[in-house]
Amino acid sequence: RCKFVSMIHRPTLSSIRALHVMAQQPSWKGVDELLTNELNAALDQLADNRDPAVLHQLQGRVQVIKEIRKLAAESASLLEKLER
């Protein structure tokens, strides 16, 4: 069984703050759209590929995009916990 390994290792408080500020801006919608499109493209390529090296690369890409989007979505609650 494969253990989950985070692609984003211990984001700093300042990086979480920065991501939170950016995610609150109207322009974040464009960044999120870019990330969503990249995620969907990588998932499509995963479904169509059999090369182990390419699959590994795509799996990493999918994971880091998901983690960035999750970190942005959860940044407010993370900051609340970390700044207590």
Side-chain angles (χ1 to χ4, degrees), residues 36-56:
T36 300
N37 291 341
E38 288 297 318
L39 177 60
N40 290 334
L43 289 170
D44 288 344
Q45 290 175 28
L46 264 174
D48 296 336
N49 207 301
R50 299 292 173 250
D51 181 333
V54 174
L55 287 173
H56 184 71

Side-chain angles (χ1 to χ4, degrees), residues 1-18:
R1 184 171 169 128
C2 185
K3 181 183 173 195
F4 174 78
V5 176
S6 178
M7 299 295 285
I8 300 176
H9 299 284
R10 295 185 182 256
T12 63
L13 182 58
S14 64
S15 64
I16 296 170
R17 277 190 194 123

